[in-house]
Amino acid sequence: MSETDISEEVLIKSIREILVSADLNVMTAKLVRNELKAKLNVDNLDSQKKQINSIISDVINELNQTNKDKDNGVKKKDVKKEIKEEVTEKAKEAVESDKESDDSSSDEDITDEGLARKLHNEELDSKRRVTRNNRTTKKSSSAKKTKKTKKKDNSDDSDEEKPKKQRKNGYLKPCVLSTELADFFGESEMARHEVVKRIWSYVKENNLQDPKNKQFTICDDQLLKIFGRKRFRMFGMMKILAKHLN
């Protein structure tokens, strides 16, 4: 094939195919022309050298621009992702900061009686749920049985009313303290609410509340013997103290 038979369209297509897979940092016009001769099966392209060099330059500029646009697109995506993550992180920090602020404010308003009352109510709610479940089970069982009534003969005993037993609230009933609690209070028995109240007073008198989160108490040597941990949540103390009360 003679050199005059090669159209510009063929040259552009062939040069682009060569440069697309080539390393543009080391590729030269001479190397491209040599590959082009082999690709087009021609011996000499000297008559079109200037034209070929111009096409090579245009194709390289085109490929560089394409790569640059791709890089900018990736960078824009990365920037958007970083901005989104930063905004999300700041939003989380703001929510956590508001929550900690609310927790701290509410903790400062807690009194000894208030804490004891709250813990008392929590325990009563738990007992009520258990009682309701037991009643439901008993009603289901008793519905299957036939009710029997017995009539008693008139007698002096039938007119007498039996004294009603006073039911003591388990929370107010004195409990036997463990050795650790007995050593701490100097007493062997104490009601649950009184245990909570006095521990709470001890924490406040000795400034043992965690300054970062006042819902937690940092144990000194005395409390460490009782709770067995360096830090505990005030509203969860009854779960830990349960093993110390009988």
Side-chain angles (χ1 to χ4, degrees), residues 14-221:
S14 300
I15 291 172
R16 182 178 284 111
E17 290 175 353
I18 293 171
L19 292 176
V20 163
S21 58
D23 185 353
L24 300 182
N25 294 320
V26 297
M27 182 61 72
T28 64
K30 185 176 181 180
L31 290 175
V32 174
R33 289 196 302 272
N34 290 335
E35 288 193 26
L36 188 60
K37 286 190 289 185
K39 186 176 183 68
L40 298 177
N41 193 25
V42 296
D43 297 327
N44 195 336
L45 293 172
D46 291 344
S47 61
Q48 292 179 277
K49 182 177 179 180
K50 186 175 180 180
Q51 180 186 12
I52 292 172
N53 288 345
S54 177
I55 294 173
I56 291 172
S57 179
D58 291 341
V59 172
I60 289 177
N61 290 335
E62 177 187 332
L63 293 175
N64 284 336
Q65 185 62 42
T66 301
N67 293 334
K68 185 177 180 181
D69 291 341
K70 287 182 180 180
D71 292 340
N72 288 337
V74 173
K75 288 180 180 179
K76 287 181 180 179
K77 289 183 180 179
D78 291 341
V79 170
K80 288 182 180 180
K81 184 177 180 181
E82 290 176 1
I83 292 174
K84 184 177 180 181
E85 291 176 350
E86 183 177 354
V87 171
T88 303
E89 187 64 27
K90 287 183 178 179
K92 287 182 180 179
E93 290 176 359
V95 171
E96 291 176 358
S97 177
D98 291 341
K99 184 177 180 182
E100 290 181 1
S101 176
D102 293 341
D103 291 342
S104 299
S105 299
S106 61
D107 289 340
E108 291 174 357
D109 296 335
I110 296 174
T111 61
D112 298 344
E113 292 292 343
L115 178 62
R117 191 180 302 111
K118 182 176 179 65
L119 291 170
H120 184 192
N121 291 336
E122 288 178 356
E123 184 165 320
L124 288 180
D125 288 340
S126 178
K127 289 183 178 179
R128 288 193 190 103
R129 286 194 293 271
V130 174
T131 302
R132 283 197 295 269
N133 291 337
N134 290 339
R135 286 177 180 173
T136 302
T137 303
K138 288 181 180 179
K139 285 182 180 180
S140 177
S141 177
S142 61
K144 298 178 182 179
K145 297 180 181 180
T146 304
K147 294 183 179 180
K148 296 181 180 180
T149 57
K150 295 182 180 180
K151 296 183 179 179
K152 296 183 179 180
D153 295 331
N154 294 331
S155 62
D156 295 337
D157 294 338
S158 63
D159 296 332
E160 294 180 358
E161 295 182 357
K162 295 182 180 180
K164 295 181 179 180
K165 294 182 179 180
Q166 293 183 349
R167 300 175 67 181
K168 290 186 177 181
N169 189 321
Y171 197 75
L172 302 176
K173 183 180 178 181
C175 299
V176 178
L177 306 183
S178 67
T179 303
E180 291 82 3
L181 275 182
D183 292 342
F184 182 77
F185 292 124
E187 300 179 27
S188 60
E189 292 186 358
M190 189 178 296
R192 292 173 182 266
H193 76 281
E194 187 65 22
V195 171
V196 173
K197 181 179 177 180
R198 290 178 64 172
I199 288 180
W200 178 236
S201 297
Y202 179 85
V203 168
K204 293 184 70 175
E205 289 171 2
N206 292 275
N207 295 321
L208 297 178
Q209 284 181 282
D210 189 338
K212 295 181 180 179
N213 188 343
K214 293 189 176 182
Q215 290 189 23
F216 290 86
T217 292
I218 299 175
C219 292
D220 59 4
D221 292 339

